[in-house]
Amino acid sequence: MASSTALYSILGCAALQTVASVTVPSQRLNDGTYLPMASLGTGWNNTETEADIKLALQAGFRSIDTAWDYGDQVGVGKGVQDAIASGMTRDELYVISKVPACLTPDTDKLCAKQTLNHHATNLKELGLDFVNLLLVHYSPLGGCKNCDPIKAQWGAMEQLLAENKTRTIGVSNYCKECIECLADAKVQPAVNQFEYHVGMGPDPEGLVSYCKSKGIVTQAYSPLGPTANHTAKDILIEGNLTTGIGKHYNKSGAQVALRWVAQNEAALITKAAELAYLTEDVSIFDFALDAADVAALNSATEPHAKPCLFCTSQ
C-alpha cells in the first residue's frame, strides 16, 4: 500500500483538506484555487438534500454540487447555513452550482442576460453571496459549430467572476468542439464536469487527455455508473471485477471504482443518503491501485457511456 505522500503525488494534489478522520485531497486549478477531489452530489428534493448534507459533512465531505435546475438549492443553502451555525466557516465549505446552456444557436443576444439572471436565482435560493465554482451545465442543444452563443454565455460567466459572485468558472458536458469555442477567452475554463467511470476507458473520446492538455481539471459525475441505469451501477458496486480487486486492499467494489477515477486525476461527485455509504465513498484516499489492477479496470467495457450530453468529440 502506498504512503500518504505517494498518494498525493499520484493525484497531483497540492493542498489537503482534513476533515474528521478523513483527509480529502484538493487539486490545484488553473486559476490558483483548489477543487476538493470528492464532492457530494445532490438533486430534486430540498428536505432530503438538507439531511444528506448533514450526513455528508459528518462523513468528511466539505464540497457540495448542485445546479439551477436540480430543484434543491434551497435545501443546499439550509444545509450550508446549518453547518455554519454549528461552528463551521464558509471558507471550509465548497459550493458548486450551474447555469443552463443557451438552448439553441440563435439565442446569443439573450444568452448573457439569461445567464446572469439564472445565477442571481442560484444565489438567492442558496442564500449565499458567492459560489466557489460555477459551471455552464451543458452545451447548446444545437451543437457547437456556431460558437456565438457559447462565447456570449462565457462573457457573462467572466462578468460573474469579476463581480465575485463565483470564485471559479468552468463547464460541464463540454466536448472538444465546444471547448475550442473558448480558445480566445480571457478566462479559460478551470473544470469540465462530465460522466466518467470504469467501463468508459481511461480517456473516453480523448476528452480527459484533451482537458489535461488545456489545463482543465476533469470532474466526474456518475462515477459509479449511469444514474438511470441501476444494472450498470451494480456492475461497479457488486461486480466481480471491482469486488475482486477490492479484496486486495480491504475495500469495497464501489471504493475501487471511485479510486480508479481519482487515480486518473479526476475529482468526483458521489451521492448517497446513508452515513455508512458516504463515509465509504470519501475513504478512498488512503490506498493506491497497483498497475495490474489499473490495467484491468482500464480494459473494462461495461458499463459503457458517452462522457457528454448533447456533444460528442470526434
Side-chain angles (χ1 to χ4, degrees):
M1 186 176 295
S3 68
S4 296
T5 301
L7 288 172
Y8 303 144
S9 177
I10 289 169
L11 288 169
C13 300
L16 295 177
Q17 174 189 28
T18 302
V19 294
S21 60
V22 178
T23 300
V24 179
S26 294
Q27 194 161 7
R28 191 178 190 276
L29 302 179
N30 59 21
D31 61 359
T33 62
Y34 291 87
L35 173 69
M37 290 290 290
S39 297
L40 173 71
T42 68
W44 321 127
N45 185 293
N46 282 306
T47 302
E48 290 179 4
T49 292
E50 184 179 359
D52 290 348
I53 289 172
K54 182 176 181 179
L55 291 176
L57 295 176
Q58 185 179 343
F61 287 87
R62 290 298 182 268
S63 179
I64 304 158
D65 178 84
T66 186
W68 178 85
D69 53 1
Y70 282 3
D72 72 342
Q73 291 196 124
V74 171
V76 171
K78 288 181 177 179
V80 169
Q81 295 305 322
D82 289 346
I84 293 172
S86 298
M88 296 186 66
T89 67
R90 175 65 180 88
D91 288 343
E92 292 179 85
L93 300 169
Y94 195 97
V95 179
I96 304 166
S97 191
K98 309 175 192 74
V99 291
C102 300
L103 296 182
T104 60
D106 59 356
T107 60
D108 50 291
K109 292 182 180 179
L110 295 175
C111 192
K113 182 178 179 180
Q114 290 173 341
T115 299
L116 298 177
N117 289 340
H118 283 139
H119 191 49
T121 300
N122 288 343
L123 295 179
K124 181 179 179 180
E125 291 181 346
L126 291 165
L128 298 175
D129 296 325
F130 69 93
V131 296
N132 297 83
L133 173 61
L134 182 65
L135 305 176
V136 177
H137 205 164
Y138 40 84
S139 62
L141 297 184
C144 299
K145 295 187 182 303
N146 178 3
C147 289
D148 289 344
I150 292 176
K151 291 179 177 180
Q153 182 162 39
W154 193 250
M157 296 286 282
E158 291 178 332
Q159 179 180 333
L160 291 166
L161 180 66
E163 293 174 351
N164 294 318
K165 294 178 180 177
T166 180
R167 296 291 186 260
T168 298
I169 54 178
V171 295
S172 178
N173 293 297
Y174 262 43
C175 60
K176 297 178 188 178
E177 185 179 49
C178 297
I179 295 172
E180 285 296 334
C181 286
L182 301 176
D184 297 327
K186 180 171 61 176
V187 179
Q188 289 297 301
V191 173
N192 188 10
Q193 184 186 113
F194 54 87
E195 184 166 344
Y196 184 51
H197 51 73
V198 173
M200 297 173 65
D203 193 18
E205 298 183 0
L207 189 56
V208 174
S209 58
Y210 175 81
C211 286
K212 188 173 183 178
S213 75
K214 300 295 183 181
I216 301 170
V217 167
T218 293
Q219 186 177 44
Y221 67 74
S222 299
L224 293 176
T227 302
N229 187 336
H230 295 292
T231 300
K233 290 176 73 70
D234 290 345
I235 291 173
L236 299 185
I237 296 173
E238 300 176 356
N240 292 335
L241 176 61
T242 54
T243 58
I245 290 173
K247 293 175 182 178
H248 304 167
Y249 308 95
N250 195 29
K251 296 290 184 178
S252 69
Q255 286 175 307
V256 167
L258 295 175
R259 178 65 208 181
W260 178 86
V261 172
Q263 205 157 310
N264 280 310
E265 300 184 6
L268 58 91
I269 298 165
T270 183
K271 191 176 189 299
E274 295 183 27
L275 180 59
Y277 291 139
L278 289 163
T279 302
E280 181 178 303
D281 287 352
V282 82
S283 300
I284 61 167
F285 301 107
D286 58 351
F287 78 108
L289 298 165
D290 66 28
D293 291 333
V294 169
L297 294 164
N298 286 351
S299 298
T301 57
E302 293 293 337
H304 180 70
K306 291 185 177 296
C308 301
L309 295 172
F310 316 128
C311 180
T312 301
S313 297
Q314 300 298 326

